[in-house]
Amino acid sequence: MAYDVASVRGLYTSLSSGWTYLNAHDVPQVPERVASAVARSFRAAFTVAPPEPVRGSHARFTPGCPEGETLVADARAAVADLTGATPERVILGPSVQALYLALSAAMRPLFRHNSSVVVSGLDDPRLTSTIQLADAQVRWAQADLATGELPPWQFEKLVDGSTRLVSIPAAHAQLGTVVAVPQVAEAVRGRSRAWLLVDASSYLPYRPLSFDEFGADIVAVDVAAMGGPQVAALVFRDEAMLNRLDRDMLDLPVAPGLAGGVSAIVEHYAQLAEPRGGHPRKVTRRARLASSMQEAADYMEHLREDLYTFLGTLPKVHIVGVSGEAAEHTHLDRIPRLTFGVRDVPAETVYQRLVANGMVATLASTSKLLSDMGVDEMGGAVTVSLSPFNTQADVVQLTRTVASLA
């Protein structure tokens, strides 16, 4: 098996516009397979399929039911394959934020007058705000301001018998820092029976995920973050967990037309790296995903090393969480995303220079964590992130453009 980036680029018709897209954290590009699947799904969602003339024991037959019901069921199965779970443990929703809000409401039977929840400064503030609505004391796990790391040891002090939920991200969307989820899970389980909720939305576009190895109790997935439709999911460790919740609160509507694109984006990632001669028969989609995404992960890791090395060698460039005396000797696991600034150059100027040279990045969004890490004092920062279709030439182009300012 080999990762052929030229073939991967051919799966994205949007790349023909000439722009170099370095904004996967903000607006991921949509593969043509997904766009076509959503269009087909919207056309067929409310139609009823004709009955099959001959039905075997494994035939799919739902007489009189709209195709949209099948599309939603297929979306659950696709998310299950993506995370190494089963469809019965998957709850779909329109967004991760909506699902977090619904989960907080559904967990009310588990909360007592002295219950607590633990959230993280590394979490998306929109998600943290929904968890804070729970009828419980809120405790904060803090990131290292030098590196953006979330130290697992602090959960041994924050979590106790009153804790019902612990929320962390698998990776920071802008800094690229990967959280040691298994170590956090071990610390949480050593102190309580709290559920560990992990937002894997920024992690999944770059790494294969095995639910059992991850150690989480609930994994959140934003399909849109992978270049799919505006659909999200919560995946539970055990179906029995759902029996402890107010299930009515988790019944969120999902547009069948959008659900039809979920299988397409999962199939897209399963075919990023095809073995020579194709897959043998009877290979499951889960197995194809694991092998394909591992090849993509290896390729993206090489690009990440180039991205950090090339930009890091520019003397006036400060990579947030990487540059500086406090962070220079650390070796943290990171996905191919970073936020940087150029000394004495406003972030807006850096952004405009990138756009003028055909590159699409974003101004770093404001957050308490980035402010505490000194982004405001730098005059702002720019965030760039890579996708499976990016090449080393894109990294070189970025470096040369930034060097013209630095």
Side-chain angles (χ1 to χ4, degrees):
M1 182 180 293
Y3 190 85
D4 184 356
V5 68
S7 297
V8 172
R9 290 179 65 83
L11 303 176
Y12 295 83
T13 57
S14 58
L15 301 185
S16 61
S17 64
W19 288 99
T20 297
Y21 290 100
L22 303 172
N23 62 337
H25 61 283
D26 185 42
V27 185
Q29 295 303 299
V30 177
E32 179 59 28
R33 173 195 291 269
V34 176
S36 299
V38 169
R40 289 193 303 270
S41 299
F42 270 107
R43 287 195 297 267
F46 301 104
T47 63
V48 176
E52 300 177 22
V54 178
R55 298 192 302 274
S57 59
H58 299 288
R60 186 180 68 187
F61 182 57
T62 51
C65 293
E67 281 289 290
E69 295 184 13
T70 300
L71 295 173
V72 173
D74 289 346
R76 287 196 186 94
V79 172
D81 285 341
L82 184 65
T83 56
T86 56
E88 296 77 16
R89 293 149 55 187
V90 177
I91 300 293
L92 297 180
S95 69
V96 173
Q97 187 175 4
L99 284 167
Y100 271 46
L101 185 61
L103 178 65
S104 297
M107 288 186 67
R108 285 173 185 165
L110 303 181
F111 288 117
R112 303 292 183 266
H113 72 279
N114 64 339
S115 296
S116 65
V117 295
V118 178
V119 295
S120 159
L122 213 61
D123 260 318
D124 186 329
R126 294 171 298 181
L127 303 183
T128 302
S129 64
T130 62
I131 296 175
Q132 288 179 278
L133 297 175
D135 185 17
Q137 177 191 6
V138 179
R139 301 171 183 172
W140 284 85
Q142 300 297 340
D144 188 312
L145 297 183
T147 63
E149 178 189 15
L150 188 66
W153 55 262
Q154 64 185 307
F155 290 91
E156 297 178 0
K157 299 181 178 180
L158 292 169
V159 175
D160 57 27
S162 70
T163 308
R164 296 292 178 265
L165 184 69
V166 178
S167 175
I168 60 173
H172 192 274
Q174 293 177 279
L175 299 177
T177 311
V178 175
V179 176
V181 174
Q183 285 83 348
V184 174
E186 183 178 356
V188 170
R189 293 199 174 94
R191 298 284 295 168
S192 78
R193 299 176 65 183
W195 289 351
L196 177 61
L197 170 62
V198 180
D199 178 16
S201 302
S202 296
Y203 181 93
L204 272 171
Y206 304 106
R207 309 275 180 89
L209 188 151
S210 171
F211 201 104
D212 293 337
E213 296 176 4
F214 217 44
D217 295 292
I218 310 172
V219 171
V221 179
D222 185 358
V223 179
M226 304 181 70
Q230 297 290 331
V231 177
L234 291 179
V235 187
F236 289 78
R237 169 178 46 81
D238 191 331
E239 192 178 356
M241 295 172 62
L242 296 169
N243 297 330
R244 302 181 60 189
L245 302 175
D246 184 350
R247 284 294 301 271
D248 291 339
M249 303 304 298
L250 291 174
D251 288 335
L252 301 181
V254 175
L258 293 178
V262 177
S263 293
I265 190 62
V266 172
E267 190 63 36
H268 168 77
Y269 276 85
Q271 295 183 6
L272 285 177
E274 290 274 16
R276 292 181 178 86
H279 287 280
R281 291 186 177 183
K282 298 184 179 180
V283 174
T284 64
R285 179 167 59 186
R286 173 61 187 171
R288 292 190 291 113
L289 267 168
S291 60
S292 176
M293 292 190 71
Q294 187 58 58
E295 289 291 324
D298 293 342
Y299 171 79
M300 297 296 289
E301 178 60 19
H302 289 304
L303 277 190
R304 185 204 65 80
E305 292 175 356
D306 290 343
L307 177 66
Y308 276 78
T309 300
F310 293 175
L311 280 182
T313 56
L314 300 178
K316 288 191 176 183
V317 169
H318 179 90
I319 302 176
V320 181
V322 176
S323 304
E325 293 182 3
E328 63 180 355
H329 297 300
T330 60
H331 300 282
L332 300 181
D333 187 13
R334 299 180 186 272
I335 56 177
R337 297 181 176 182
L338 58 78
T339 296
F340 74 97
V342 179
R343 194 179 307 119
D344 301 326
V345 180
E348 179 68 32
T349 302
V350 178
Y351 170 76
Q352 293 296 342
R353 179 65 63 89
L354 293 177
V355 172
N357 283 269
M359 285 171 284
V360 183
T362 66
L363 291 170
S365 59
T366 57
S367 70
K368 185 179 185 303
L369 175 61
L370 293 183
S371 295
D372 291 344
M373 295 181 75
V375 169
D376 294 342
E377 298 173 8
M378 289 195 308
V382 172
T383 300
V384 297
S385 54
L386 304 182
S387 299
F389 54 74
N390 284 121
T391 66
Q392 188 182 53
D394 298 336
V395 176
V396 172
Q397 181 188 6
L398 169 67
T399 306
R400 288 176 175 171
T401 303
V402 175
S404 70
L405 292 166

mmCIF file of all heavy atoms in Angstrom, residues 358-384:
data_model
loop_
_atom_site.group_PDB
_atom_site.id
_atom_site.type_symbol
_atom_site.label_atom_id
_atom_site.label_comp_id
_atom_site.label_asym_id
_atom_site.label_seq_id
_atom_site.Cartn_x
_atom_site.Cartn_y
_atom_site.Cartn_z
ATOM 1 N N GLY A 358 -1.926 33.345 -2.832
ATOM 2 C CA GLY A 358 -2.764 32.208 -3.181
ATOM 3 C C GLY A 358 -2.979 31.181 -2.096
ATOM 4 O O GLY A 358 -3.370 30.053 -2.397
ATOM 5 N N MET A 359 -2.741 31.550 -0.827
ATOM 6 C CA MET A 359 -2.896 30.598 0.272
ATOM 7 C C MET A 359 -4.026 31.022 1.197
ATOM 8 O O MET A 359 -4.136 32.196 1.563
ATOM 9 C CB MET A 359 -1.592 30.481 1.068
ATOM 10 C CG MET A 359 -0.528 29.676 0.358
ATOM 11 S SD MET A 359 1.078 29.762 1.174
ATOM 12 C CE MET A 359 1.593 31.397 0.655
ATOM 13 N N VAL A 360 -4.861 30.072 1.568
ATOM 14 C CA VAL A 360 -6.010 30.339 2.430
ATOM 15 C C VAL A 360 -5.712 29.815 3.828
ATOM 16 O O VAL A 360 -5.601 28.605 4.037
ATOM 17 C CB VAL A 360 -7.289 29.678 1.888
ATOM 18 C CG1 VAL A 360 -8.478 30.036 2.772
ATOM 19 C CG2 VAL A 360 -7.549 30.107 0.454
ATOM 20 N N ALA A 361 -5.542 30.740 4.771
ATOM 21 C CA ALA A 361 -5.378 30.401 6.181
ATOM 22 C C ALA A 361 -6.447 31.186 6.945
ATOM 23 O O ALA A 361 -7.412 31.665 6.354
ATOM 24 C CB ALA A 361 -3.976 30.745 6.653
ATOM 25 N N THR A 362 -6.318 31.319 8.259
ATOM 26 C CA THR A 362 -7.277 32.117 9.029
ATOM 27 C C THR A 362 -6.531 32.901 10.103
ATOM 28 O O THR A 362 -5.459 32.485 10.571
ATOM 29 C CB THR A 362 -8.340 31.254 9.730
ATOM 30 O OG1 THR A 362 -7.711 30.448 10.735
ATOM 31 C CG2 THR A 362 -9.077 30.371 8.750
ATOM 32 N N LEU A 363 -7.101 34.012 10.493
ATOM 33 C CA LEU A 363 -6.650 34.691 11.695
ATOM 34 C C LEU A 363 -7.075 33.849 12.893
ATOM 35 O O LEU A 363 -8.206 33.352 12.932
ATOM 36 C CB LEU A 363 -7.252 36.091 11.785
ATOM 37 C CG LEU A 363 -6.747 37.104 10.752
ATOM 38 C CD1 LEU A 363 -7.598 38.365 10.785
ATOM 39 C CD2 LEU A 363 -5.281 37.449 11.012
ATOM 40 N N ALA A 364 -6.167 33.654 13.837
ATOM 41 C CA ALA A 364 -6.473 32.814 14.998
ATOM 42 C C ALA A 364 -7.655 33.393 15.758
ATOM 43 O O ALA A 364 -7.687 34.583 16.065
ATOM 44 C CB ALA A 364 -5.251 32.720 15.908
ATOM 45 N N SER A 365 -8.638 32.564 16.030
ATOM 46 C CA SER A 365 -9.813 33.014 16.775
ATOM 47 C C SER A 365 -9.423 33.296 18.222
ATOM 48 O O SER A 365 -8.540 32.649 18.785
ATOM 49 C CB SER A 365 -10.917 31.957 16.726
ATOM 50 O OG SER A 365 -10.459 30.729 17.273
ATOM 51 N N THR A 366 -10.080 34.276 18.801
ATOM 52 C CA THR A 366 -9.744 34.669 20.163
ATOM 53 C C THR A 366 -10.267 33.638 21.159
ATOM 54 O O THR A 366 -11.358 33.102 21.016
ATOM 55 C CB THR A 366 -10.348 36.039 20.489
ATOM 56 O OG1 THR A 366 -11.768 35.980 20.279
ATOM 57 C CG2 THR A 366 -9.760 37.118 19.594
ATOM 58 N N SER A 367 -9.466 33.340 22.148
ATOM 59 C CA SER A 367 -9.871 32.462 23.240
ATOM 60 C C SER A 367 -9.013 32.808 24.441
ATOM 61 O O SER A 367 -7.940 33.404 24.311
ATOM 62 C CB SER A 367 -9.686 30.986 22.864
ATOM 63 O OG SER A 367 -8.307 30.656 22.778
ATOM 64 N N LYS A 368 -9.511 32.461 25.622
ATOM 65 C CA LYS A 368 -8.758 32.755 26.837
ATOM 66 C C LYS A 368 -7.410 32.048 26.833
ATOM 67 O O LYS A 368 -6.393 32.622 27.258
ATOM 68 C CB LYS A 368 -9.562 32.340 28.069
ATOM 69 C CG LYS A 368 -8.893 32.738 29.391
ATOM 70 C CD LYS A 368 -9.742 32.339 30.578
ATOM 71 C CE LYS A 368 -9.119 32.861 31.866
ATOM 72 N NZ LYS A 368 -7.724 32.396 32.077
ATOM 73 N N LEU A 369 -7.372 30.813 26.332
ATOM 74 C CA LEU A 369 -6.120 30.069 26.322
ATOM 75 C C LEU A 369 -5.076 30.765 25.455
ATOM 76 O O LEU A 369 -3.940 30.984 25.886
ATOM 77 C CB LEU A 369 -6.352 28.645 25.810
ATOM 78 C CG LEU A 369 -5.099 27.790 25.633
ATOM 79 C CD1 LEU A 369 -4.368 27.616 26.958
ATOM 80 C CD2 LEU A 369 -5.438 26.438 25.022
ATOM 81 N N LEU A 370 -5.455 31.134 24.226
ATOM 82 C CA LEU A 370 -4.492 31.784 23.340
ATOM 83 C C LEU A 370 -4.075 33.149 23.879
ATOM 84 O O LEU A 370 -2.910 33.547 23.747
ATOM 85 C CB LEU A 370 -5.072 31.916 21.933
ATOM 86 C CG LEU A 370 -5.293 30.605 21.170
ATOM 87 C CD1 LEU A 370 -5.802 30.890 19.761
ATOM 88 C CD2 LEU A 370 -4.015 29.782 21.104
ATOM 89 N N SER A 371 -5.010 33.850 24.495
ATOM 90 C CA SER A 371 -4.657 35.140 25.098
ATOM 91 C C SER A 371 -3.653 34.941 26.225
ATOM 92 O O SER A 371 -2.659 35.680 26.323
ATOM 93 C CB SER A 371 -5.910 35.839 25.630
ATOM 94 O OG SER A 371 -6.789 36.173 24.583
ATOM 95 N N ASP A 372 -3.894 33.940 27.077
ATOM 96 C CA ASP A 372 -2.967 33.667 28.181
ATOM 97 C C ASP A 372 -1.602 33.210 27.679
ATOM 98 O O ASP A 372 -0.587 33.381 28.364
ATOM 99 C CB ASP A 372 -3.548 32.605 29.109
ATOM 100 C CG ASP A 372 -4.749 33.110 29.896
ATOM 101 O OD1 ASP A 372 -4.948 34.341 29.949
ATOM 102 O OD2 ASP A 372 -5.496 32.266 30.441
ATOM 103 N N MET A 373 -1.564 32.643 26.472
ATOM 104 C CA MET A 373 -0.295 32.190 25.898
ATOM 105 C C MET A 373 0.420 33.299 25.140
ATOM 106 O O MET A 373 1.461 33.056 24.538
ATOM 107 C CB MET A 373 -0.534 30.983 24.988
ATOM 108 C CG MET A 373 -1.039 29.755 25.722
ATOM 109 S SD MET A 373 -1.302 28.298 24.654
ATOM 110 C CE MET A 373 0.396 27.786 24.372
ATOM 111 N N GLY A 374 -0.143 34.513 25.171
ATOM 112 C CA GLY A 374 0.564 35.668 24.635
ATOM 113 C C GLY A 374 0.213 36.061 23.218
ATOM 114 O O GLY A 374 0.911 36.901 22.635
ATOM 115 N N VAL A 375 -0.860 35.525 22.663
ATOM 116 C CA VAL A 375 -1.208 35.853 21.272
ATOM 117 C C VAL A 375 -1.586 37.319 21.122
ATOM 118 O O VAL A 375 -1.207 37.972 20.145
ATOM 119 C CB VAL A 375 -2.343 34.932 20.780
ATOM 120 C CG1 VAL A 375 -2.911 35.427 19.461
ATOM 121 C CG2 VAL A 375 -1.829 33.498 20.617
ATOM 122 N N ASP A 376 -2.320 37.852 22.090
ATOM 123 C CA ASP A 376 -2.716 39.260 22.014
ATOM 124 C C ASP A 376 -1.493 40.175 22.043
ATOM 125 O O ASP A 376 -1.437 41.187 21.335
ATOM 126 C CB ASP A 376 -3.661 39.610 23.159
ATOM 127 C CG ASP A 376 -4.999 38.891 23.052
ATOM 128 O OD1 ASP A 376 -5.315 38.409 21.942
ATOM 129 O OD2 ASP A 376 -5.713 38.798 24.061
ATOM 130 N N GLU A 377 -0.501 39.822 22.859
ATOM 131 C CA GLU A 377 0.708 40.637 22.957
ATOM 132 C C GLU A 377 1.518 40.606 21.669
ATOM 133 O O GLU A 377 2.263 41.541 21.362
ATOM 134 C CB GLU A 377 1.570 40.144 24.126
ATOM 135 C CG GLU A 377 0.879 40.268 25.477
ATOM 136 C CD GLU A 377 1.673 39.614 26.580
ATOM 137 O OE1 GLU A 377 2.829 39.207 26.317
ATOM 138 O OE2 GLU A 377 1.145 39.502 27.707
ATOM 139 N N MET A 378 1.374 39.547 20.876
ATOM 140 C CA MET A 378 2.071 39.460 19.594
ATOM 141 C C MET A 378 1.394 40.283 18.510
ATOM 142 O O MET A 378 1.928 40.417 17.412
ATOM 143 C CB MET A 378 2.136 37.998 19.115
ATOM 144 C CG MET A 378 3.063 37.109 19.894
ATOM 145 S SD MET A 378 3.413 35.560 18.995
ATOM 146 C CE MET A 378 1.772 34.978 18.627
ATOM 147 N N GLY A 379 0.211 40.786 18.805
ATOM 148 C CA GLY A 379 -0.548 41.462 17.761
ATOM 149 C C GLY A 379 -1.397 40.514 16.962
ATOM 150 O O GLY A 379 -1.740 40.797 15.800
ATOM 151 N N GLY A 380 -1.770 39.394 17.594
ATOM 152 C CA GLY A 380 -2.577 38.385 16.910
ATOM 153 C C GLY A 380 -1.723 37.303 16.294
ATOM 154 O O GLY A 380 -0.486 37.342 16.352
ATOM 155 N N ALA A 381 -2.352 36.330 15.719
ATOM 156 C CA ALA A 381 -1.636 35.202 15.113
ATOM 157 C C ALA A 381 -2.461 34.631 13.965
ATOM 158 O O ALA A 381 -3.642 34.950 13.796
ATOM 159 C CB ALA A 381 -1.362 34.121 16.155
ATOM 160 N N VAL A 382 -1.827 33.793 13.189
ATOM 161 C CA VAL A 382 -2.454 33.136 12.045
ATOM 162 C C VAL A 382 -2.416 31.626 12.278
ATOM 163 O O VAL A 382 -1.399 31.093 12.743
ATOM 164 C CB VAL A 382 -1.731 33.496 10.730
ATOM 165 C CG1 VAL A 382 -2.269 32.665 9.568
ATOM 166 C CG2 VAL A 382 -1.882 34.984 10.435
ATOM 167 N N THR A 383 -3.511 30.952 11.978
ATOM 168 C CA THR A 383 -3.580 29.504 12.122
ATOM 169 C C THR A 383 -3.565 28.851 10.748
ATOM 170 O O THR A 383 -4.297 29.273 9.842
ATOM 171 C CB THR A 383 -4.856 29.085 12.871
ATOM 172 O OG1 THR A 383 -4.863 29.673 14.180
ATOM 173 C CG2 THR A 383 -4.932 27.572 13.016
ATOM 174 N N VAL A 384 -2.728 27.830 10.596
ATOM 175 C CA VAL A 384 -2.704 27.032 9.375
ATOM 176 C C VAL A 384 -2.867 25.564 9.764
ATOM 177 O O VAL A 384 -2.448 25.137 10.840
ATOM 178 C CB VAL A 384 -1.389 27.214 8.574
ATOM 179 C CG1 VAL A 384 -1.233 28.638 8.108
ATOM 180 C CG2 VAL A 384 -0.179 26.800 9.393
#
